[in-house]
C-alpha cells in the first residue's frame, strides 16, 4: 500500500513523532474529567496550537486529538453519537497545520482503547469493538489523516479488532501497546508476544511498537525486546518523559530535555524508526530529541546496562522475555497517568 508514511519511511532512517497531548492541553486549560475531543469543536485554535507546537519543535509526525474519540468513551460525556464527527474535526485541524508546513508532515489519527473489557468478563464483543474503531477510522480518514494510529492498547483482542476496522475503512495504520506491568501490558502481553501477533494479522500495521508505560528506561527494554524478534517492520518508541511525581498538587514528569535526547538516540540505536514522547513530553523535549538525532552518529545496539546507566534503572527485574532478571532495578516512584 503506497501512502504518505510509507513513502517518507523509504527515504529516512528515523522520524520524530510528537509528545504529550494531555499534558499540553492541561497547560492550556483543560480540566480533569473533561473530554479533550470536545475541544476540536469548542477550542479549535488550541488544538491547532497543540499540533503546531510539535511541528515547530521538529516533529515529522503528530497525533490528532482523538485518543478517546470512540463511542464508548464519548458516551461518558453524552457525546457517544459524535465519534465520527469529532474524529473528523481533529484530523481536519491537523491537515491544515501539516499542509501549511514547508516539510513533509504526517497526520496520524489517534485511536485509543475503548475502555471496555472483552466478553466473557465484560460487555465488549469483537463485533462491537470493530464497529467502534471503524466509525472512528472513517471520521479520521474523512478529515485527512494520513494514517490511523492505535495507541496505549493492553488487550490483544482490541488490537486485532482495530486492525480489522482499519481494513474496512481502507486506511493504513500503525499500532502501539502500553507495557506498564513488569514489562508486560496490563493484560499480560510481552514484547515477543506482540511481535508474533502483529506478524499474523491479515491487515498488519505499517509500524508497531510501544508507548506510555512507566518511564523511558522500561520502554527501551521493550523496544529491545521487539528488535530481538527480528521483525522487519519499522518499530515505534514513544516513551514518557521520566516518572510522574506530585508537585504542589499537580503531576510533574521528571524527565529533562537532556534525558529525552539520550532516550531518542538510544531508541534509534536499538532499532526504532519512529521516535517520540508520550506523557510529560513538551516541545522543549522534542527540540532536544531532534537535535540529538540529527547530530549524533548512529551507534551499536545498546545493552540493558547501558540503558539503565543513561536513563535510570528498570521498575521490574524482568520483562518476561529474556534472561534479564539481574537487570538494574529502580524504586518505583510513581504510577502512570494518561
Amino acid at each position: 500500500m503506497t501512502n504518505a508514511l510509507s513513502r517518507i519511511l523509504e527515504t529516512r532512517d528515523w522520524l520524530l513523532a510528537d509528545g504529550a497531548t494531555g499534558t499540553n492541553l492541561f497547560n492550556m486549560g483543560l480540566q480533569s474529567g473533561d473530554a479533550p475531543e470536545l475541544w476540536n469543536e469548542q477550542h479549535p485554535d488550541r488544538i491547532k496550537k497543540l499540533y503546531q507546537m510539535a511541528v515547530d519543535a521538529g516533529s515529522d509526525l503528530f497525533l490528532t486529538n482523538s485518543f478517546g474519540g470512540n463511542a464508548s468513551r464519548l458516551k461518558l460525556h453524552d457525546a457517544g453519537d459524535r465519534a465520527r464527527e469529532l474524529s473528523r474535526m481533529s484530523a481536519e485541524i491537523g491537515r491544515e497545520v501539516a499542509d501549511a508546513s514547508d516539510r513533509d508532515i504526517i497526520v496520524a489519527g489517534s485511536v485509543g482503547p475503548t475502555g471496555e473489557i472483552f466478553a466473557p468478563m465484560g460487555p465488549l464483543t469483537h463485533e462491537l469493538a470493530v464497529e467502534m474503531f471503524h466509525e472512528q477510522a472513517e471520521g479520521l480518514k474523512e478529515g485527512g489523516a494520513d494514517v490511523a494510529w492505535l495507541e496505549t492498547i493492553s488487550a490483544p483482542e482490541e488490537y486485532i479488532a482495530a486492525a480489522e476496522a482499519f481494513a474496512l475503512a481502507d486506511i493504513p495504520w500503525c499500532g502501539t501497546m502500553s507495557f506498564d506491568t513488569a514489562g508486560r501490558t496490563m493484560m499480560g502481553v510481552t514484547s515477543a508476544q506482540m511481535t508474533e501477533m502483529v506478524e499474523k494479522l491479515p491487515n498488519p500495521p505499517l509500524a508497531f511498537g510501544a508507548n506510555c508505560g512507566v518511564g523511558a528506561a522500561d520502554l527501551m527494554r521493550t523496544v529491545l525486546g521487539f528488535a530481538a524478534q527480528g521483525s522487519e517492520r519499522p518499530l515505534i518508541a514513544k516513551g514518557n518523559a521520566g516518572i510522574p511525581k506530585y508537585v504542589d498538587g499537580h503531576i510533574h514528569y521528571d524527565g529533562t530535555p537532556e534525558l529525552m535526547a539520550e532516550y531518542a538516540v538510544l531508541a534509534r540505536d536499538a532499532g526504532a524508526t519512529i521516535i517520540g514522547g508520550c506523557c510529560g513530553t513538551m516541545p522543549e523535549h522534542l527540540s532536544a530529541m531532534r537535535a540529538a538525532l540529527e547530530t549524533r552518529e548512529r551507534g551499536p545496539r545498546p545493552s540493558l546496562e547501558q540503558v539503565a546507566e543513561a536513563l535510570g534503572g528498570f521498575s521490574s527485574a524482568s520483562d518476561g522475555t529474556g534472561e534479564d532478571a539481574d537487570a538494574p532495578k529502580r524504586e518505583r516512584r510513581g504510577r502512570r497517568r494518561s
Side-chain angles (χ1 to χ4, degrees), residues 159 163 172-174 197-207 233:
Y159 201 94
W173 69 288
C174 299
M197 173 186 68
V198 163
E199 295 302 328
K200 291 181 178 179
L201 289 172
N203 177 38
L206 295 176
R233 299 185 190 281

Side-chain angles (χ1 to χ4, degrees), residues 240-323:
N240 291 343
I243 303 296
K245 295 180 176 180
Y246 280 102
V247 180
D248 296 329
H250 299 281
I251 295 175
H252 170 74
Y253 285 80
D254 63 5
T256 63
E258 292 75 20
L259 180 139
M260 291 302 283
E262 288 293 329
Y263 146 75
V265 171
L266 287 170
R268 179 197 63 190
D269 294 348
T273 301
I274 302 175
I275 303 161
C278 203
C279 299
T281 307
M282 309 300 285
E284 54 266 31
H285 295 104
L286 295 173
S287 296
M289 292 163 67
R290 178 91 193 193
L293 289 168
E294 287 183 333
T295 59
R296 293 174 58 174
E297 295 291 330
R298 183 180 292 271
R301 183 167 294 170
S303 65
L304 291 175
E305 289 73 22
Q306 289 171 321
V307 169
E309 181 178 355
L311 305 179
F314 307 108
S315 63
S316 61
S318 172
D319 67 354
T321 62
E323 298 177 0

Side-chain angles (χ1 to χ4, degrees), residues 149-160 173-179 183-185 187-201 204-205 207-211 219 222-223 225-227 229 231 233-237 319-321:
W149 189 281
L150 185 69
E151 58 173 334
T152 326
I153 299 298
S154 295
E157 296 90 347
E158 202 158 33
Y159 201 94
I160 292 167
W173 69 288
C174 299
T176 60
M177 299 184 84
S178 182
F179 297 79
R184 298 168 179 256
T185 75
M187 297 302 178
V189 179
T190 66
S191 56
Q193 290 168 338
M194 181 185 181
T195 305
E196 182 180 7
M197 173 186 68
V198 163
E199 295 302 328
K200 291 181 178 179
L201 289 172
F208 74 97
N211 79 293
L219 187 127
T222 298
V223 170
F226 293 139
Q229 303 306 308
S231 173
R233 299 185 190 281
L235 297 178
I236 300 166
D319 67 354
T321 62

Side-chain angles (χ1 to χ4, degrees), residues 66-76 79-85 87 110-118 123-140 148 150 158 161-166 168-169:
S66 52
F67 176 81
N70 59 70
S72 178
R73 293 178 71 126
L74 286 174
K75 73 181 180 182
L76 302 176
D81 59 344
R82 302 191 65 194
R84 184 168 182 161
E85 176 191 13
S87 292
S110 175
V111 177
T114 64
E116 302 283 1
I117 302 295
F118 270 83
L124 188 62
T125 64
H126 174 79
E127 292 75 18
L128 182 57
V130 171
E131 179 182 336
M132 284 193 284
F133 286 134
H134 182 206
E135 178 183 28
Q136 193 175 4
E138 290 289 359
L140 292 167
L150 185 69
E158 202 158 33
E164 183 176 329
F166 299 147
L168 291 173

